[in-house]
Amino acid sequence: METGYRGIPIPTIKRFPSYLRLLEGYREEGMEMISATTLAEELGLKPIQVRKDISCTGIEGKPKVGFSVTKLIEAIVRTLGWDNATDAIVIGAGHLGSALARYEGFESYGLKIVAAFDVDSQKWGTWLGNVPVYPLDKLQLYVEEHHVNIGVLAVPADHAQETAELLMKSGIVAIWNFAPKDLKLPPHVVVQRTDLATSFAVLSAKVKQKIQKKELSIEIDEW
Amino acid sequence: METGYRGIPIPTIKRFPSYLRLLEGYREEGMEMISATTLAEELGLKPIQVRKDISCTGIEGKPKVGFSVTKLIEAIVRTLGWDNATDAIVIGAGHLGSALARYEGFESYGLKIVAAFDVDSQKWGTWLGNVPVYPLDKLQLYVEEHHVNIGVLAVPADHAQETAELLMKSGIVAIWNFAPKDLKLPPHVVVQRTDLATSFAVLSAKVKQKIQKKELSIEIDEW
DNA sequence: TAGATTGTTAATCGATTAACAATC
DNA sequence: TAGATTGTTAATCGATTAACAATC
């Protein structure tokens, strides 16, 4: 059985934004060509890994010279799908939802927050930066009328599941979940978590491991 | 040459918080035993993976019955190092820093935000929930006096590197970096990113892949 | 040219998954 | 007991890394 197209590895996808930030800096400095070797050094990666990652974009480099900075940027942006701007809504206008709605960096990812929704009537009609806050009841209608694709979920954990289901029913394609809750949704909905607990778990584990290593003696780090 | 202790796999660490949330729900319901099979089903994982993960905590189960809910919770919490509360400070009292300082969920991870710091003199002396905001100049002294271990970095990207170096010099052990910037720090400092761009990149790629697959027909994704 | 860098093919490494005996 | 579940050992899978020919 032929499964065919396998897709770009998730770890590679995760490194792309770092490449992009670095490359945009180089572009601003007027640099035209960049080698995988330099990118690797700058990001603490191995050159071979950077080359492998870049090869996923389909772009070609010149031996001894490297890659065109602008072409590489374009290729990565295209590979991530960040060249087509997508409208998104934020659900939950609490502290986190508010910070997300106001965040200006999303533009460069092709993400545009067009509205926020909340159950709290006191927030209706207010603005989070340039983003208006509407009643949650208006969500379904808004999504249908404005063809919103992405829902940014920033509600409390105990309302995450039901809100996600509402988003799904409204026709949202993908959910970016900031609530500390694992959603159970049918596989046709794309869900991506940004879970503080998960991130902090890795930090904690690294700290703990470092302490353990130091106790068991062994080597030293310089600097 | 014997390298010895290898540590718990990062993917396992990342799944632990999901197990914990689920288990705490079961504990509240008064459930005493739980099987890996049930946990797996609830989280959309394979039973074998859950068993492997659990085995990393060192806890033992009973065939046909499962694991003690409370013992499993304790074991995971201990494995993550969440049983020892750690003091942390937030640097940058903008929208994101403010949301982080006010977030109450950190308690259950053994993380306590004790202060925030900002360059903006207008913010000095104000409070983010229960967290006071101090001048950035006071950071070094504060860290030394209060033995703060963790710095939560929520400053703009163009100040992230220098602020991280300040934290390092002040004696901070680990940095939780929310700035969209890759930090260059010596290996003895533990750094963990929570990068919106990275998370959104995965979301974008999944959406794009799904569209492509739908065109080519065929099946689904994980995560 | 010589040397650095690309791109491909193969080897390695680590995590996931499968198989199955042990056990309550 | 029979059947479900654990825990271990081996197989598989995917990503990283190594090796090296091609090339500007």
Side-chain angles (χ1 to χ4, degrees), chain B residues 43-216:
Chain B
L43 291 168
L45 304 171
K46 306 234 162 127
I48 174 73
Q49 187 167 51
V50 175
R51 275 183 282 152
K52 256 275 152 72
D53 287 344
I54 289 175
S55 77
C56 292
T57 68
I59 208 179
E60 283 192 351
K62 276 198 176 56
K64 175 156 175 167
V65 184
F67 301 83
S68 153
V69 172
T70 55
K71 278 194 186 155
L72 194 44
I73 290 174
E74 281 167 24
I76 293 176
V77 166
R78 209 179 322 116
T79 306
L80 289 174
W82 287 5
D83 47 349
N84 296 316
T86 317
D87 283 357
I89 53 173
V90 169
I91 305 90
H95 295 302
L96 181 59
S98 173
L100 292 170
R102 289 168 190 273
Y103 183 59
E104 286 159 17
F106 288 145
E107 280 173 36
S108 45
Y109 319 156
L111 185 69
K112 197 186 169 199
I113 309 283
V114 291
F117 295 84
D118 202 291
V119 286
D120 181 0
S121 60
Q122 296 220 326
K123 289 174 180 160
W124 302 345
T126 64
W127 294 73
L128 308 171
N130 301 318
V131 177
V133 183
Y134 299 123
L136 192 63
D137 293 338
K138 292 274 160 50
L139 187 145
Q140 191 144 8
L141 189 67
Y142 187 97
V143 170
E144 283 163 13
E145 283 185 350
H146 293 79
H147 305 288
V148 178
N149 286 317
I150 295 176
V152 180
L153 198 55
V155 301
D158 53 347
H159 288 95
Q161 181 63 37
E162 49 178 305
T163 311
E165 283 167 15
L166 173 64
L167 283 169
M168 195 186 78
K169 267 182 272 175
S170 308
I172 284 277
V173 175
I175 295 175
W176 196 2
N177 180 28
F178 286 83
K181 181 81 170 46
D182 295 278
L183 304 175
K184 281 180 116 174
L185 294 172
H188 71 262
V189 183
V190 173
V191 179
Q192 176 64 25
R193 295 193 308 170
T194 292
D195 188 346
L196 292 185
T198 300
S199 182
F200 184 67
V202 178
L203 182 76
S204 304
K206 281 187 197 163
V207 171
K208 214 185 166 188
Q209 211 161 318
K210 186 160 288 267
I211 292 166
Q212 280 175 2
K213 265 201 189 132
K214 208 151 278 170
E215 278 166 4
L216 305 167

